[in-house]
């Protein structure tokens, strides 16, 4: 049975990008906050909930994020959920994060008050076998 693992986030970057170079390429991590608001049915008061998402970019896309994305930037991210594991002090640890495959900067202005260049869209390339798709 085929499945779909796709995440789309539109939110604000909560941390400065953190990058690390490996033999095989660059990895860049950011946290993205998404918020939802609603009106409480009982009290009529406005409620808000913020979720934080760890997003990991690799290779060329990591370079773009490291160079252009800043804390507070509004971005669009497409990717997939991944879970990695490691051992720390003899204990198995797990982290679920979004592996960013596409990113678009949504800010219309830079911090200097000047208009920013048109948002750049960068994508990792990968091959999709049509037989893996969940529909005919």
């Amino acid at each position: 049975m085929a499945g779909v693992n796709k995440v789309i986030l539109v939110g604000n970057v909560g941390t400065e990008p953190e990058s690390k170079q490996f033999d095989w390429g660059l990895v860049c991590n950011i946290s993205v906050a998404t918020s939802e608001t609603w009106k409480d049915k009982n009290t009529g008061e406005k409620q808000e909930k913020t979720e934080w998402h760890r997003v990991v970019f690799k290779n060329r896309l990591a370079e773009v994020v490291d160079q252009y994305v800043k804390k507070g930037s509004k971005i669009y991210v497409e990717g997939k959920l991944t879970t990695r594991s490691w051992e720390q002090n003899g204990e198995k640890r797990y982290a679920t994060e979004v592996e960013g495959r596409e990113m678009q900067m949504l800010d219309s202005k830079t911090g200097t008050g000047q208009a920013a260049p048109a948002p750049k869209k960068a994508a990792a390339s990968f091959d999709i076998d049509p037989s893996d798709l969940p529909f005919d």
Side-chain angles (χ1 to χ4, degrees), residues 24-133:
W24 51 266
L26 186 69
V27 173
C28 185
N29 297 309
I30 61 171
S31 293
V32 176
T34 58
S35 297
E36 62 178 306
T37 59
W38 69 94
K39 194 175 195 179
D40 187 282
K41 291 179 182 178
N42 298 324
T43 65
E45 291 182 26
K46 181 180 172 184
Q47 302 290 318
E48 182 175 16
K49 181 178 180 182
T50 301
E51 292 286 341
W52 288 94
H53 313 275
R54 180 181 167 97
V55 183
V56 179
F57 298 97
K58 296 177 182 173
N59 300 316
R60 178 64 186 132
L61 191 52
E63 293 173 21
V64 172
V65 170
D66 186 54
Q67 186 173 1
Y68 295 107
V69 173
K70 303 292 177 220
K71 180 178 178 178
S73 297
K74 187 173 214 55
I75 65 170
Y76 167 91
V77 175
E78 254 185 60
K80 68 177 189 170
L81 282 180
T82 59
T83 301
R84 58 185 177 89
S85 63
W86 68 97
E87 205 167 299
Q88 185 175 350
N89 300 327
E91 194 173 320
K92 192 85 166 182
R93 301 277 191 162
Y94 299 91
T96 300
E97 52 205 10
V98 176
E99 182 181 315
R101 299 254 175 119
E102 286 188 34
M103 182 279 302
Q104 187 169 357
M105 294 176 284
L106 301 176
D107 292 326
S108 60
K109 296 192 181 212
T110 63
T112 62
Q114 298 174 354
K120 292 189 177 192
K121 187 173 184 179
S125 62
F126 53 95
D127 295 317
I128 297 175
D129 182 354
S131 65
D132 289 339
L133 296 176

